Amino acid sequence: MIGAMQQQLDFIAYIQRMLVEGEFTATYKYALLHAIADICVEQQNEDQSAPMEIKIDTLVDKFIQLYWNHSMPYAAHSTDIITNTEDMLLKQNSQGQAKFITEIYKLQNAGVKSYNAFKNYQQYNQVISSLRRTFIDGPLWRLQLLSGKEECFLYPHILLGKGREPKRIVLNAGIAQCFRRFYDLVVHLSVTEWIEKVQTIKANQTLLGSQSQLQEFLFGSNRTALKVVTPLLIDIQNGLCFYCQKPMNLKNEKETKKTPEIDHFIPFKRYPNDLAHNFVAAHADCNNNKRDHLAAFAHRDRWLEQNLDIHKAEITNKLQPYFYCDADKSLAVSNWAYQVAESSSAKLWLGKNSFEQAKPTAELFMFPNASQPELNQVAKPEVSLKSIDNALKLPYFPNIKIACGHFKTGDESDMELMDAPLGAGKLDPQVHFLAHASGNSMNGGKHPILDGDLLLLELITSDKAGSLRGQIVAIERDDISGDGQYLLRKVNKLPNGQYELIAQNPDYEVMIADESMRTFARFKQVVAE
């Protein structure tokens, strides 16, 4: 725990040094910091303290997304910024135009009108390939040059170098969690320094004039495209405000407080990207009162059900021409935002001037008619939970095998104590425990869980439930003799109200939960042994 805290302090100090000691002739390094932070939030890494792999092409794609609006002609005093002259492009390099800007501008003039359209562009792979070398030789290599010397705190340079074609970078252990923990700070610093750099490039002075609109132009939401969202969400929500569940004013009368507005459910200030499944329609009054707060857990559960369950496909089909559609990414961003809120004891917005503590108070996630799970699965040990060197100890149950296959019987006898894993965040021996996986049903996807892996799990209790949709959980049921059986699966709610239990290994069929099953623990991460 102390090691993780020290790494986070070192991370902040390193970012500060980078912005002071780094050489910034272009804006690419700011873009790379922003891109890595985004990807750490968007990619669900089961073991948050472990090294994290990011493909080079994923970073290049993220660069194109970040620079897309920057590659449109700028006119500070014009209501129509779309022109046909390259002279109206803001320079992003003090020594000439940045190649990413030039190439994206060519795409836009070839009829590719949005980043989402580019994702479906026939020559997508060719464009990525044409920009890969610029990315590797420029920001990827130069970001960690402080005062001219390599200091590879974020990721090693071992795969980089002249003539090499790395396929990926690997963030050092714990760095992905630092980016997730301090995402708001990293993005704020990146954007602020980015804007200042654009303003100080002499070639931009004539274009900029009044600079009050620059941040909105470079990093604002696509307000024009948001108009397409309104009728869809009004229909999905049956004309009701998403938050207060009262009718919205659809007649353009004087009652402007009840006029529908589109709200970013995860606030745009927290995650400055437009994802199609992140939108809800709300009264102007509710939207303005919520501002940049995260909504309460009750609102989050309703958002999950509306946008990621029942209407997921409809939102994708209708909004794909205008916005990036990835329900899994929306879920990952939501999980990140609420995890950060919980860890910092933030306030969540309930309703007008009303807030609750960021502690999940939802009922236990139970399958229909299932009995309440017992909360004494981790017995209070009669020995000290601290070792001689003051390291935190967690209960380890060698006889509980969390089945990655089919239900397996186990018991809580012979409980032992093991050192808590470093970098796993705040741990409580009364809630968190360790057990081994057994089987191969979760051996698949980006973050496989292997037979024999040591798992860190968190008991699901009435004050720490929250929404479990899309998360990996341990499920318990009793066998004929009354002994507990345990199974690890990803949970998804179906439109008919049933829950399906999904294996990451495609060789295993999806199971439908029944009344004999109950959620037992939330999977946190695989622990290195």
Side-chain angles (χ1 to χ4, degrees), residues 10 189 229-230 258 328 395 418 470:
D10 293 343
L189 290 173
V229 182
T230 306
K258 303 300 180 185
D328 289 340
M418 293 181 65

Side-chain angles (χ1 to χ4, degrees), residues 123-139:
Q123 298 181 40
Y124 172 88
N125 291 329
Q126 291 93 314
V127 174
I128 295 291
S129 180
S130 70
L131 292 169
R132 190 184 297 126
R133 191 74 256 166
T134 297
F135 174 78
I136 293 170
D137 292 342

Side-chain angles (χ1 to χ4, degrees), residues 62-172:
K62 176 59 73 171
F63 257 51
I64 293 172
Q65 181 183 7
L66 289 171
Y67 277 111
W68 192 269
N69 284 353
H70 302 211
S71 305
M72 297 178 182
Y74 178 85
H77 305 291
S78 171
T79 57
D80 182 7
I81 63 170
I82 305 300
T83 69
N84 292 316
T85 171
E86 203 168 346
D87 295 336
M88 300 291 284
L89 297 179
L90 289 170
K91 297 289 189 298
Q92 302 253 356
N93 189 322
S94 56
Q95 299 174 356
Q97 187 55 279
K99 185 176 180 179
F100 272 83
I101 297 291
T102 302
E103 294 304 311
I104 296 171
Y105 178 71
K106 290 178 182 176
L107 284 171
Q108 293 171 349
N109 278 280
V112 184
K113 297 302 183 184
S114 67
Y115 165 74
N116 193 58
F118 167 68
K119 295 284 286 185
N120 299 302
Y121 184 46
Q122 188 176 6
Q123 298 181 40
Y124 172 88
N125 291 329
Q126 291 93 314
V127 174
I128 295 291
S129 180
S130 70
L131 292 169
R132 190 184 297 126
R133 191 74 256 166
T134 297
F135 174 78
I136 293 170
D137 292 342
L140 193 64
W141 171 257
R142 298 178 182 277
L143 180 67
Q144 299 184 110
L145 295 180
L146 276 59
S147 300
K149 295 182 179 180
E150 291 181 52
E151 293 194 29
C152 300
F153 182 80
L154 303 179
Y155 52 88
H157 279 174
I158 189 169
L159 297 176
L160 305 182
K162 190 173 182 180
R164 294 186 178 180
E165 289 289 343
K167 301 295 183 185
R168 63 190 62 81
I169 62 168
V170 180
L171 298 182
N172 293 323

Side-chain angles (χ1 to χ4, degrees), residues 4-63:
M5 292 174 62
Q6 184 59 52
Q7 186 183 41
Q8 291 178 3
L9 292 173
D10 293 343
F11 175 82
I12 294 173
Y14 182 82
I15 297 298
Q16 289 176 321
R17 287 188 57 211
M18 179 185 293
L19 295 174
V20 173
E21 299 178 30
E23 182 182 348
F24 293 85
T25 58
T27 60
Y28 281 163
K29 292 181 185 177
Y30 307 122
L32 181 53
L33 268 182
H34 197 319
I36 294 174
D38 276 2
I39 292 167
C40 286
V41 166
E42 294 164 359
Q43 288 188 189
Q44 299 201 57
N45 198 16
E46 307 298 354
D47 184 354
Q48 297 177 5
S49 64
M52 178 176 170
E53 178 182 300
I54 304 177
K55 293 180 180 178
I56 298 297
D57 287 358
T58 300
L59 286 162
V60 174
D61 177 279
K62 176 59 73 171
F63 257 51

Side-chain angles (χ1 to χ4, degrees), residues 224-398:
T224 303
L226 283 179
K227 294 178 181 178
V228 181
V229 182
T230 306
L232 173 63
L233 290 178
I234 287 174
D235 182 54
I236 286 174
Q237 296 172 203
N238 296 316
L240 302 179
C241 170
F242 178 81
Y243 296 110
C244 70
Q245 294 293 290
K246 294 179 181 178
M248 292 183 285
N249 171 27
L250 307 178
K251 299 180 180 179
N252 297 319
E253 296 175 351
K254 294 182 179 180
E255 190 60 39
T256 55
K257 291 182 179 180
K258 303 300 180 185
T259 300
E261 291 185 350
I262 297 303
D263 178 47
H264 291 77
F265 183 75
I266 302 300
F268 192 79
K269 189 171 183 179
R270 299 285 183 93
Y271 175 76
N273 295 285
D274 284 328
L275 294 178
H277 294 86
N278 191 37
F279 299 128
V280 296
H283 287 142
D285 197 27
C286 290
N287 188 24
N288 292 332
N289 193 259
K290 175 178 174 276
R291 299 193 305 277
D292 296 322
H293 295 288
L294 279 179
F297 283 102
H299 297 309
R300 183 181 186 240
D301 285 343
R302 192 164 59 252
W303 170 75
L304 287 168
E305 187 167 18
Q306 173 182 293
N307 286 17
L308 301 189
D309 283 342
I310 299 173
H311 298 286
K312 179 173 75 172
E314 183 179 0
I315 290 172
T316 298
N317 292 337
K318 296 289 181 62
L319 298 185
Q320 198 164 35
Y322 310 97
F323 297 100
Y324 185 47
C325 297
D326 188 332
D328 289 340
K329 185 172 289 187
S330 295
L331 178 61
V333 170
S334 168
N335 287 341
W336 157 78
Y338 281 86
Q339 287 166 4
V340 171
E342 287 182 51
S343 66
S344 59
S345 299
K347 301 286 187 181
L348 304 182
W349 185 83
L350 271 169
K352 189 172 183 180
N353 300 323
S354 178
F355 298 88
E356 70 177 12
Q357 197 75 19
K359 267 188 167 183
T361 55
E363 292 182 0
L364 285 164
F365 180 85
M366 300 297 296
F367 302 122
N369 302 318
S371 58
Q372 193 79 353
E374 296 179 9
L375 303 183
N376 61 351
Q377 298 288 344
V378 178
K380 196 168 186 178
E382 296 178 357
V383 294
S384 172
L385 294 171
K386 293 287 185 74
S387 61
I388 294 174
D389 61 0
N390 210 36
L392 181 68
K393 299 286 187 179
L394 292 182
Y396 162 63
F397 295 95

